[in-house]
């Protein structure tokens, strides 16, 4: 069982920056998929960015060029660096993880597109004001 704990949310003005952290307990397997998602009030949860154990990253079109996902393997912590924040970035941000024994091409992309992760954090609120 992997436990995820997000932190770093808060309130900022448009144009500001935040860094979210997702501390993960130790993975059993060396292969994993991790992702960041967000849910605005009254809207469906959407993907923000993902990072796979082989280093592949991808971003939602709305966050490309502004957000960066990274991981500190020593701390087993996933980060989301958010710059040039906009009011539409407001929402609860969730970290998710899936681990597996044998790498399969495209698996993490599949998991991300379906939001079908084994483990989810509790979320952290991000509020961007004008």
């Amino acid at each position: 069982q992997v436990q995820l704990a997000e932190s770093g949310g808060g309130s900022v003005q448009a144009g500001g920056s935040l860094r979210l952290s997702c501390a993960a307990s130790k993975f059993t397997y060396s292969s994993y998929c991790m992702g960041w998602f967000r849910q605005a009030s009254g809207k469906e949860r959407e993907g923000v960015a993902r990072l796979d154990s082989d280093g592949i990253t991808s971003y939602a079109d709305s966050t490309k060029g502004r957000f960066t996902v990274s991981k500190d393997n020593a701390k087993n912590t996933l980060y989301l660096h958010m710059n040039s924040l906009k009011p539409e970035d407001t929402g609860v941000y969730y970290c998710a993880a899936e681990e597996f024994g044998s790498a399969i091409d495209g698996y993490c992309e599949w998991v991300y597109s379906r939001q079908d992760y084994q483990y989810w954090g509790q979320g952290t609120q991000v509020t961007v004001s004008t």
Side-chain angles (χ1 to χ4, degrees), residues 12 24 26 31 48 51-52 58 64 68 93 99 117 119 125 129:
V12 296
K26 185 175 175 61
S31 297
V48 174
L51 182 147
D52 308 340
S58 69
K64 282 180 184 176
T68 303
Y93 282 68
E99 58 174 348
Y117 290 83
Y119 310 109
Q125 176 71 43
S129 59

Side-chain angles (χ1 to χ4, degrees), residues 6-10 18 20 35-48 67 80 82 87-96 115 120-128:
E6 303 98 333
S7 61
L18 281 174
L20 304 184
W36 284 102
F37 295 82
R38 67 187 180 190
Q39 187 167 22
S41 180
K43 295 187 177 181
E44 292 187 354
R45 188 172 61 196
E46 62 177 356
V48 174
F67 291 11
L80 184 67
M82 306 187 294
E88 51 264 43
D89 294 318
T90 294
V92 178
Y93 282 68
Y94 298 93
C95 171
Q115 303 188 23
W120 290 85
Q122 293 301 306
T124 185
Q125 176 71 43
V126 171
T127 302
V128 184

Side-chain angles (χ1 to χ4, degrees), residues 9-129:
S11 297
V12 296
Q13 290 190 325
S17 300
L18 281 174
R19 187 186 75 166
L20 304 184
S21 300
C22 172
S25 59
K26 185 175 175 61
F27 289 121
T28 300
Y29 300 103
S30 60
S31 297
Y32 57 82
C33 317
M34 296 191 78
W36 284 102
F37 295 82
R38 67 187 180 190
Q39 187 167 22
S41 180
K43 295 187 177 181
E44 292 187 354
R45 188 172 61 196
E46 62 177 356
V48 174
R50 84 169 213 266
L51 182 147
D52 308 340
S53 52
D54 56 4
I56 292 176
T57 61
S58 69
Y59 298 89
D61 288 344
S62 60
T63 65
K64 282 180 184 176
R66 300 188 299 122
F67 291 11
T68 303
V69 61
S70 64
K71 188 172 183 285
D72 184 329
N73 289 325
K75 296 180 179 179
N76 212 25
T77 298
L78 185 74
Y79 299 102
L80 184 67
H81 307 261
M82 306 187 294
N83 297 316
S84 303
L85 283 162
K86 304 175 182 180
E88 51 264 43
D89 294 318
T90 294
V92 178
Y93 282 68
Y94 298 93
C95 171
E98 168 98 0
E99 58 174 348
F100 50 98
S102 298
I104 305 171
D105 287 347
Y107 179 66
C108 287
E109 184 176 8
W110 184 88
V111 169
Y112 178 77
S113 67
R114 288 160 177 76
Q115 303 188 23
D116 191 19
Y117 290 83
Q118 292 171 298
Y119 310 109
W120 290 85
Q122 293 301 306
T124 185
Q125 176 71 43
V126 171
T127 302
V128 184
S129 59

